């Protein structure tokens, strides 16, 4: 008897199959994850009591349904999807059960941080649900201000103020508007104020006026501004004024 040699497999085929499996792993995992979120949403809506009220001749009395979650996509904070609201329900009713729905989602293992619901201004039967699983700013690297290298600005232009949780640029417009910045200690109020002050300092047509009991050393080099002490009104005869900027 002669031993028959086993035909060898081309190594390139093995590599191609391995690469294909790696490429398919992420989409398949995402697909299963999305289907699980949809299923968990449906069960959370039923358990929370946010189901559609049955009609007089409805067949759904023993099989309750509610607002359905569709078009689920990953986002920086977790997942975002479109909620379809039936004719017998409303966004106001869905919002009323938001905390209960979120609690049921969390108890199903999603480790939910928050559940956000936003109505659709164009369609009353649609809403947007954001399932927040993480803080998108906790893992984001510091970004550079867009106007950092500018030598001259104009406050009539929109000022780059930062980015939202999706990474999209956020701008702020000052003309004909008032800005109030508030927050808890160490929440970034001073940093937010520095952006507006820096933009105004680079505008030769703007005049900076500060009235604060704290030290504002950053205004020392600004020529087109004046400073009050919290007791002395800014720009009064006793308040320190800056010389013309050279």
């Amino acid at each position: 008897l002669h031993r028959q040699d086993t035909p060898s497999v081309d190594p390139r085929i093995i590599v191609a199959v391995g690469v294909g499996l790696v490429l398919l792993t992420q989409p398949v995992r995402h697909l299963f994850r999305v289907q699980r979120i949809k299923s968990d949403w449906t069960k959370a809506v039923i358990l929370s009591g946010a189901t559609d009220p049955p009609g007089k001749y409805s067949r759904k009395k023993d099989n309750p349904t509610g607002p359905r979650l569709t078009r689920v996509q990953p986002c920086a904070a977790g997942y975002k999807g479109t909620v379809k609201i039936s004719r017998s329900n409303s966004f106001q009713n869905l919002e009323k059960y938001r905390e209960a729905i979120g609690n049921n989602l969390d108890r199903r293992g999603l480790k939910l941080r928050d559940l956000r619901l936003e109505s659709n201004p164009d369609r009353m039967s649609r809403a947007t649900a954001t399932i927040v699983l993480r803080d998108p700013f906790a893992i984001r690297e510091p970004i550079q201000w867009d106007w950092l290298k500018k030598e001259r600005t104009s406050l009539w232009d929109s000022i780059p103020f930062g980015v939202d949780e999706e990474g999209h640029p956020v701008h702020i417009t000052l003309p004909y508007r008032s800005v109030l910045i508030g927050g808890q200690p160490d929440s970034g109020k001073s940093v937010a104020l520095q952006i507006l002050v820096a933009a105004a300092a680079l505008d030769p047509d703007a005049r900076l006026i500060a009235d604060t009991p704290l030290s504002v050393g950053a205004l020392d080099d600004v020529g087109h501004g004046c400073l009050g002490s919290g007791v002395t009104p800014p720009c009064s005869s006793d308040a320190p004024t800056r010389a013309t900027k050279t």
Side-chain angles (χ1 to χ4, degrees):
L1 297 175
H2 298 281
R3 181 179 177 183
Q4 186 175 3
D5 295 335
T6 304
S8 60
V9 180
D10 191 343
R12 292 175 296 181
I13 298 179
I14 298 177
V15 172
V17 171
V19 172
L21 291 175
V22 171
L23 294 177
L24 287 175
T25 300
Q26 188 65 23
V28 170
R29 289 178 60 186
H30 167 67
L31 180 62
F32 279 105
R33 180 69 167 173
V34 167
Q35 293 301 322
R36 180 192 169 185
I37 290 176
K38 289 181 179 180
S39 175
D40 289 346
W41 170 274
T42 300
K43 295 175 182 178
V45 167
I46 295 174
L47 292 174
S48 65
T51 54
D52 301 334
K56 183 177 180 181
Y57 302 102
S58 176
R59 299 180 180 178
K60 299 180 180 180
K61 295 180 181 180
D62 298 329
N63 186 22
T65 60
R68 294 186 297 111
L69 185 65
T70 62
R71 299 180 182 179
V72 179
Q73 295 292 335
C75 63
Y79 287 87
K80 182 175 292 188
T82 300
V83 181
K84 292 185 178 181
I85 305 172
S86 67
R87 291 177 293 179
S88 59
N89 214 325
S90 65
F91 175 78
Q92 289 74 16
N93 184 65
L94 178 65
E95 177 68 19
K96 183 173 66 175
Y97 291 96
R98 182 185 66 84
E99 291 188 5
I101 296 174
N103 180 48
N104 279 283
L105 287 173
D106 181 68
R107 293 177 67 88
R108 298 193 66 82
L110 282 180
K111 297 182 180 180
L112 194 73
R113 291 174 61 98
D114 191 16
L115 175 62
R116 303 174 189 165
L117 298 175
E118 300 177 23
S119 61
N120 190 326
D122 298 324
R123 296 191 65 180
M124 294 187 65
S125 62
R126 297 291 185 272
T128 300
T130 304
I131 300 174
V132 181
L133 304 178
R134 54 187 170 268
D135 181 3
F137 295 107
I139 57 176
R140 180 164 290 164
E141 296 293 331
I143 60 175
Q144 189 179 69
W145 190 40
D146 292 344
W147 285 8
L148 183 62
K149 297 183 180 180
K150 273 201 170 188
E151 297 182 357
R152 180 170 179 170
T153 63
S154 174
L155 292 184
W156 289 98
D157 300 331
S158 58
I159 302 172
F161 197 67
V163 296
D164 61 14
E165 62 182 20
E166 297 293 335
H168 302 144
V170 175
H171 292 74
I172 187 171
T173 304
L174 291 181
Y176 309 110
R177 287 177 172 84
S178 299
V179 179
L180 176 65
I181 300 176
Q184 297 179 349
D186 296 327
S187 60
K189 301 183 297 296
S190 298
V191 175
L193 184 61
Q194 287 173 8
I195 295 176
L196 302 179
V197 172
L202 293 174
D203 185 352
D205 298 324
R207 189 180 187 189
L208 282 172
I209 301 174
D211 186 10
T212 173
L214 304 177
S215 174
V216 192
L219 293 180
D220 291 341
D221 297 330
V222 179
H224 48 100
C226 53
L227 177 65
S229 63
V231 178
T232 304
C235 300
S236 66
S237 57
D238 297 329
T241 57
R242 310 302 178 198
T244 303
K245 189 177 182 180
T246 57

